[in-house]
Amino acid sequence: MTIRLYNSLKEAEKRNALPEVIAYHRIDGPGSSLDLSEFQQAFWKLPHIPEHDGPAKKWTCNLPRTVGITIDTGTRVEAHPFDPDRIGVKSVEYKTEVVSSPGEVIPIKENWLLKILEIFDLSGVMFVLKNLKEGLQSSGLGGSSAAATGVCILANELAGRPFSKVQLISLASRIEQDFGVSLTGTQEQSNVLFGGVTDYVWFPWGIPGRPDTGYGASLRFELVSPQDYHHLEDRMAIFHSGHPRLSTAVNLAWRNALRAKEGYKNHFKKMEVAYSFREGIRLQKWDHVLDSIEEYRKIRTKLCKDYMEGSIDLLERAQLHNCTIFPLGAGGGGGVLLFSPDPESLENLREDLQGTYREIPFKIRSKGYKVNNSLIGGYEYFLGNII
């Protein structure tokens, strides 16, 4: 059932309307890494889900969770006409390009995104990836996962949307993990598909009583409505430490600690802190948000001594201004979240850091992705492109 896209894409090119998906990044915080499969499985147990529950969702407090905050940096994925019998993926930022004939994509790390095109049985298309902001690459904002998820969404669009959102999360996550690109869970991918300021409670084997869910499933709760995003934006900033390194090494240290008794105990504390972070944001109790960030960072540092490498100076300067910091992602990309309960204190810290560290400006978004110029046009389109 090969979907031949060359002719349709040539027509779209003439109209300056090539299909594209913009996949946005996220800010994580206390709870990050709990989305990794090992952590979901280690700490999950069958919960009693009450029929009626308030917005606090107290029954979830001991389950793995992550709060994702969608921001307006990210990756643009464009579909271009290509050799009618071939497929390709090109990254402008990383200056890489891989091509193949469908059915011949070797399952190696370099082909991870190309394999997605083959999974959807596409031909005659080149996916071109461009960062919305130059020079970010891996900054702890979920860049590789945004790229994979964006490719999945666009391929799904071109194939007529055969997969659900949860299936796309699973596909993007497993490709990235199994091809050895990075250690990943389902948080960044979920953030792209659902967006906003969202609390994700993880269900590694699907949600009990809902057989239509599987790997990648979560219960999701909106913590902040769009009209209130400014309260968070006034208290958060992102700076780059200037010291990127492989996040995989940090994640590996945490995974190894999970297999030791003391490490397991420290990891177990994360659920309570992540819940406190969730409630601090939901209730706008900003001192609680700061305390949970501080506590979660201390736990992470106990579990991996290199976690704060490159960020110590930022922490010391932040504390002088009644602020705190949180290295984003696994702490390897160099992106660091700055937070203060008091917007004026954060502004003073921002001024102190200017000229020494690069700021990554952002706005919070209610949606995790955007599709432009979809080729989906009804039954005739599919009849004309599927062979």
Side-chain angles (χ1 to χ4, degrees), residues 83-289:
D83 183 319
D85 297 313
R86 307 195 82 195
I87 51 176
V89 176
K90 178 181 179 180
S91 170
V92 174
E93 190 84 8
Y94 287 94
K95 297 179 174 60
T96 60
E97 182 176 322
V98 289
V99 299
S100 178
S101 298
E104 298 179 5
V105 179
I106 301 170
I108 57 175
K109 181 179 180 179
E110 291 74 18
N111 288 342
W112 66 303
L113 297 178
L114 192 64
K115 177 58 73 173
I116 295 171
L117 275 63
E118 184 183 64
I119 287 170
F120 283 91
D121 208 6
L122 308 180
S123 73
V125 61
M126 167 77 77
F127 277 22
V128 178
L129 281 67
K130 304 175 183 177
N131 277 3
L132 297 182
K133 294 186 180 181
E134 293 184 3
L136 286 189
Q137 293 186 349
S138 297
S139 297
L141 298 172
S144 60
S145 296
T149 309
V151 168
C152 284
I153 293 170
L154 185 54
N156 196 51
E157 286 287 316
L158 296 176
R161 302 178 189 156
F163 284 164
S164 69
K165 288 185 176 183
V166 168
Q167 287 175 312
L168 291 177
I169 291 167
S170 178
L171 172 56
S173 175
R174 290 187 178 188
I175 285 285
E176 184 176 354
Q177 173 84 23
D178 295 346
F179 276 56
V181 178
S182 69
L183 299 176
T184 187
T186 51
Q187 180 230 137
E188 295 101 329
Q189 300 85 355
S190 297
N191 194 79
V192 173
L193 266 302
F194 297 110
V197 182
T198 304
D199 173 40
Y200 298 94
V201 181
W202 304 116
F203 289 80
W205 304 286
I207 299 172
R210 287 175 52 183
D212 57 327
T213 62
Y215 183 78
S218 61
L219 288 183
R220 297 172 296 278
F221 307 100
E222 182 184 55
L223 299 181
V224 181
S225 58
Q227 62 265 28
D228 290 327
Y229 286 169
H230 65 95
H231 294 301
L232 268 178
E233 292 170 344
D234 290 346
R235 291 167 172 80
M236 288 182 169
I238 302 174
F239 277 76
H240 200 285
S241 70
H243 296 277
R245 64 190 190 282
L246 289 177
S247 294
T248 303
V250 182
N251 272 328
L252 187 59
W254 287 334
R255 289 172 71 189
N256 290 338
L258 184 66
R259 296 175 172 89
K261 188 172 183 179
E262 193 61 31
Y264 183 90
K265 289 181 179 179
N266 280 313
H267 277 303
F268 189 82
K269 297 174 184 177
K270 289 181 175 181
M271 267 76 68
E272 181 180 355
V273 181
Y275 181 77
S276 176
F277 178 69
R278 175 224 203 256
E279 286 297 274
I281 288 178
R282 184 180 70 85
L283 299 171
Q284 297 185 23
K285 293 185 175 181
W286 306 120
D287 287 335
H288 292 190
V289 174

Side-chain angles (χ1 to χ4, degrees), residues 20-40:
E20 68 173 22
V21 165
I22 300 174
Y24 292 102
H25 289 155
R26 62 89 185 96
I27 297 171
D28 61 7
S32 54
S33 77
L34 290 177
D35 67 309
L36 296 174
S37 61
E38 292 91 339
F39 292 86
Q40 288 190 35

